[in-house]
């Protein structure tokens, strides 16, 4: 009788050990236990680049008032890192994309050349993130003083011609002709255009925050 009881006990223990080994080896029993099959993924920290942050870039594609049109895109790269709370969040040399929003060529009589640019996206962590910046606006140098000198110079020449013709009425006619010649010179001379070739450095300011 004792032998039967001992044999039964051994069988029960053997079955228990076999069942335990099956439970340990069966992957289905581990599915509901996170972390046993693979290590937990680290949490991804999002960083907000605030409004007002300066983005300094160097153009890769040149832009100008003579060759660019509204809607044209251009590429550039950052010339300085963007640092938030002591941490570099955008490396120097990061590619950015921009767009020409307005172009005005210099006028023959009036109006100075102007160019308006904005940044539209930045390439970070292998993907493009949309950004919004205040427009960079460039206006050509005022040529009014130069125009006045041209007109004045023409009038002087006309007066000199009139004086040589006999003075008096001739001088008045000469002055009028000279003034016309000066005005003609202004009409034929365009003001300065704007050219920003590759590697030109421009600073933009974020008009709204973005997250990377």
């Amino acid at each position: 009788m004792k032998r039967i009881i001992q044999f039964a006990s051994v069988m029960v223990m053997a079955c228990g050990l076999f069942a335990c080994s099956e439970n340990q080896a069966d992957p289905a029993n581990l599915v509901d236990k996170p972390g046993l099959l693979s290590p937990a993924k680290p949490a991804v920290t999002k960083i907000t680049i605030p409004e007002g942050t300066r983005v300094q870039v160097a153009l890769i594609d040149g832009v100008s008032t003579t060759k660019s049109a509204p809607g044209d895109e251009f590429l550039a790269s950052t010339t300085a890192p963007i640092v938030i709370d002591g941490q570099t969040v955008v490396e120097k040399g990061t590619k950015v994309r921009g767009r020409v929003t307005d172009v005005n060529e210099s006028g023959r009589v009036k109006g100075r050349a102007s160019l308006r640019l904005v940044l539209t996206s930045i390439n970070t962590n292998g993907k493009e993130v949309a950004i919004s910046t205040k427009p960079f606006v460039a206006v050509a140098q005022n040529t009014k003083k130069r125009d006045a000198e041209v007109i004045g110079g023409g009038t002087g020449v006309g007066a000199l011609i009139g004086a040589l013709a006999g003075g008096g009425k001739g001088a008045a006619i000469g002055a009028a002709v000279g003034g016309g010649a000066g005005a003609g010179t202004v009409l034929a001379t365009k003001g300065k255009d704007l050219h920003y070739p590759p590697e030109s450095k421009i600073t933009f300011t974020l008009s709204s925050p973005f997250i990377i």
Side-chain angles (χ1 to χ4, degrees):
M1 184 68 179
K2 288 183 178 180
R3 290 182 179 179
I4 296 175
I5 294 175
Q6 290 176 351
F7 179 77
S9 299
V10 170
M11 292 299 294
V12 170
M13 292 177 63
C15 290
L17 291 173
F18 180 76
C20 290
S21 64
E22 280 192 329
N23 288 336
Q24 291 177 353
D26 188 358
N29 294 326
L30 302 178
V31 170
D32 295 329
K33 299 178 181 180
L36 293 179
L37 294 179
S38 60
K41 294 182 179 180
V44 177
T45 303
K46 298 291 186 179
I47 299 176
T48 299
I49 314 301
E51 176 184 350
T53 300
R54 291 159 63 88
V55 183
Q56 303 174 49
V57 306
L59 295 180
I60 296 174
D61 301 322
V63 295
S64 70
T65 52
T66 56
K67 295 183 179 180
S68 301
D72 287 354
E73 291 190 337
F74 62 87
L75 288 176
S77 63
T78 57
T79 58
I82 297 178
V83 180
I84 304 296
D85 295 331
Q87 179 182 356
T88 298
V89 295
V90 174
E91 298 285 349
K92 177 181 177 181
T94 299
K95 296 296 187 295
V96 297
R97 189 179 300 274
R99 186 175 66 251
V100 178
T101 60
D102 190 44
V103 176
N104 288 300
E105 285 193 72
S106 60
R108 292 183 179 276
V109 179
K110 63 179 180 179
R112 287 181 282 171
S114 63
L115 191 64
R116 185 182 294 254
L117 313 171
V118 295
L119 295 183
T120 57
S121 66
I122 186 167
N123 194 318
T124 178
N125 297 326
K127 63 179 181 179
E128 285 199 359
V129 178
I131 63 174
S132 179
T133 66
K134 296 179 181 178
F136 168 82
V137 181
V139 180
Q141 181 180 343
N142 194 336
T143 62
K144 286 184 178 180
K145 181 178 180 181
R146 182 181 64 83
D147 294 346
E149 290 173 350
V150 171
I151 294 173
T155 302
V157 172
L160 177 60
I161 293 173
L164 294 175
K169 183 178 180 181
I173 294 173
V177 172
T185 302
V186 174
L187 290 174
T189 304
K190 293 182 66 176
K192 291 186 177 180
D193 288 303
L194 294 171
H195 298 274
Y196 286 86
E199 299 186 7
S200 296
K201 294 182 180 180
I202 301 175
T203 298
F204 293 85
T205 301
L206 292 180
S207 59
S208 61
F210 71 96
I211 299 174
I212 59 174

